[in-house]
Amino acid sequence: MDLSAPTGLADDPDALFTAYAAWAAEQGTTLYPAQEEALIELLSGAHVVLATPTGSGKSLVATGAIYAALAAGRRSYYTAPIKALVSEKFFALCDVFGAEHVGMLTGDAAVNADAPIITCTAEVLANIALRGADAPTAEAMVVMDEFHFYGDQDRGWAWQVPLLELPRAQFLLMSATLGDVTALRADVTRRTGRPTALVAHAERPVPLFYSYATTPMHETIGELLDTGQAPVYVVHFTQASALERAQALMSVNVSSKEDKVAIRDAIGDFRFSSAFGNTLSRLVRHGIGVHHAGMLPKYRRLVEQLAQAGLLKVICGTDTLGVGINVPIRTVVFSALSKYDGTRTRLLNAREFHQIAGRAGRAGFDTVGTVVVQAPDHEVENLKQFAKVADDPKKRRKLVRRKVPEGMVPWSEATMTKLVDATPEPLVSRMRVSTAMILDVVARASEATGDEDRASEAKGYGAERGDPCIAMRRLLTDNHEPRKRQLALIREAVGIARSLLQAGVLERVDDPAGRFYRLTVDLPPDFALYQPLSTFALAAIELLDPAASTYALDVVSVIEATLEDPRQILAAQLKKARGEAIAQMKADGIEYDERMELLDEVSYPQPLAELLEHAFDVYRRSNPWAGDTHPAPKAVVREMWERASTFQEYVSLYGLTRSEGAVLRYLSDAVKALRSGIPAAARTEEVTDIVEWLGELVRQVDSSLLDEWEQLTSPHPEVAPVTVPARPRPLTGNERAFTAMVRNALFRRVELFALARWDELGRLDADSGWTAQRWEEVGTAYFTEHADVGTGADARGPALLIFDRGPRTWRVRQILDDPAGDHDWGFEVDVDLDASDEAGVAEIRMVDAGRMD
């Protein structure tokens, strides 16, 4: 049965239900009573709050809702809190409805955006709703997964806005940990006129059993493995501790020989291409996975897919798997019941505990799920010491118990029992207002129907499209916040609006139908989704000198200043800069107190800081929406280009192995901003080279999402879906980007040669037989004739680089920029194109170096 073509069933809910139930049966699934009830309510036109336990089949209800909407010719939105879950749902819905019917929007990726079924983050849907839904969106079926994020301090507004702004839509709100939703149901019904059904009485298909472990963690895990409780997910609340635990388990033989062979076959020729890759490769081949947000997406997806195939016995990770990622787990082990939430260390609340614990037990595979809470180390040690002297009263009296470590929030078996028995806390509204929100609403009003239609829109929702004041008033006074908080939001919004009027960004229009407001500037369609300082970047680029040798890199620096700060990278840059500064100050004989004082002035690289600060002061006077943000000068892309670094080299330079996913996210954002935010007049050849180089670098590091989409839409049906993330396209297919990579690799050698760093050159070219000693011999001969080597713009230019491009091997000569201008020294390399495609980086073999006759 094909769900992608439900023709002739739109007007017959009974037939739709019967057809869908039959399809589910074909998949080997019989609908539970709670699933049937939810689907019947949806087909009758009601909203549904589906508050059933994890593993009770909420996804099947969501698929049925989308099927019904497709039959009626209505658009569907499936929202999720994280991009990984959006991606997972995207591929799952492609399997069911066909890739041509499904699209995806995540804010930095858009696939098949006009499809009738869209998976997206909640923020994307919220901004669509604020901008003014078109007819397909206004009448859409909206499935909001993990709806408990409605209560998230920073992001909860995005789950509330669609409820406020899409009164003609039908909602399916799903979560296993909602708490009391009486007030929410009544509010949704009041706004939309549709009844709102609650389906919450389902029993968990796989019951959970809880225990408290007082043995050391490695013994706890060993016992679970010995008693057949795998797969085991060991939950940590820092990325570092998750990796440390996984590495510690390498001493335990968690998988059989047969399992290891199966893992090897499943991995195939998957490319472990980054600094963390070798570590992960060893772990997964041993049957141990790692899963956290700091990993590259392709690595997380590999772990998920190996786990889904039943090949991993233990996964050590953070609570990312508690956000609905579909990984089958039999046992969940809490390494702690406290965590640092960004402000303080505290105990888990009931919602957090049940959200994570609910991942245990696989419907259709397990008859029970197991949840184990590990006792704190000090309690484990105290019990161990007590057991040694249990039979000796004198020794018991002398026993010195280990105390709770300073700063730790302890937990106990009583803490676990309290959390197990507790129901999730009621959801709390987290509405907020921002300049971007106001501009979205005004942009909606500016696109409203003409003056002749305004009188007929004097009532209800239609009037809001002609006057942003009406729209904002309703948004800020008819939300879910208490009255005191609403008044605070109104005051904040009025202040933002006044500044926009004073700056001339908004204007007031008086006509017979009333007073209206509209924008005096055109906002890009994706203003709310991407960088709010993109227009500032355009103005700042005009201040740069196109004749400067650093122009291309200065353009990059302007764009980088508009991006969100990558905290992990900047912290690593600052640490390195301060370390180098201290070493230099010690060498200069500066005393300790003065060193500490001078150290406060050391920062990470901030190119163009003074120029950007001055430019922003001027820009803000006429663009007050920019007051919500501020340019943040930094040099990540610029530094990588100047250092001629590969991704792996850069991660290694700053010790960012555990955060390489964050590095990739920043570089991906930078690629998008560079491609869309640089005006044509500023796109010099070198700027284009940098953009192409960076785009290919990002793709070679991790292209799993795009490549899987291309395979799903392949015109060749015989191509089977991949079981692990696909390999990226050949690196040499983008000749411009590959040329830039080769040029960077050679110039890196020029810089090292100029600095006489023979050891580093030896490490680069040892495989070619060019040791540090051999490089030093060439360097000694060169510096006998010349005082230095130029490393400026001319030295890096194409005039000193000669390419001889063969079919699968390039011979490249790099000429040194000597002060006499003789250009008679340099080195030659061979570039192996096949090996480069295999490795994802330019594979270079040193051929010769010295005087070039």
Side-chain angles (χ1 to χ4, degrees), residues 149-168:
F149 270 82
Y150 169 98
D152 185 86
Q153 181 70 44
D154 297 321
R155 304 177 61 203
W157 68 274
W159 273 259
Q160 184 171 164
V161 163
L163 300 178
L164 306 179
E165 293 294 295
L166 298 176
R168 299 201 299 272

Side-chain angles (χ1 to χ4, degrees), residues 446-494:
S446 299
E447 297 166 1
T449 53
D451 294 344
E452 65 276 16
D453 296 326
R454 283 175 174 158
S456 64
E457 293 182 342
K459 295 182 180 180
Y461 186 75
E464 299 167 9
R465 294 187 62 80
D467 189 345
C469 289
I470 297 175
M472 285 303 302
R473 184 182 302 120
R474 185 191 59 77
L475 188 62
L476 298 177
T477 62
D478 192 22
N479 53 48
H480 302 161
E481 293 288 332
R483 183 58 179 166
K484 184 177 181 180
R485 175 61 181 155
Q486 288 179 349
L487 292 173
L489 291 173
I490 291 169
R491 288 192 294 270
E492 190 176 349
V494 168

Side-chain angles (χ1 to χ4, degrees), residues 309-363:
L311 297 175
L312 298 181
K313 300 301 183 185
V314 181
I315 303 175
C316 299
T318 57
D319 53 351
T320 51
L321 282 192
V323 193
I325 301 298
N326 182 25
V327 173
I329 296 297
R330 180 171 294 173
T331 302
V332 168
V333 177
F334 284 84
S335 64
L337 290 181
S338 65
K339 73 172 187 177
Y340 180 72
D341 63 7
T343 304
R344 60 189 178 91
T345 301
R346 58 168 177 80
L347 293 174
L348 301 181
N349 60 41
R351 173 169 290 109
E352 291 167 333
F353 177 78
H354 287 289
Q355 193 67 32
I356 299 169
R359 307 312 300 172
R362 303 168 296 174

Side-chain angles (χ1 to χ4, degrees), residues 40 197 435 437 620 667:
I40 290 170
T435 304
M437 178 183 287
R620 185 166 44 189
L667 296 180

Side-chain angles (χ1 to χ4, degrees), residues 386-397:
F386 182 82
K388 292 179 179 179
V389 299
D391 298 330
D392 190 331
K394 291 183 179 180
K395 290 184 178 180
R396 288 205 307 269
R397 285 194 296 269

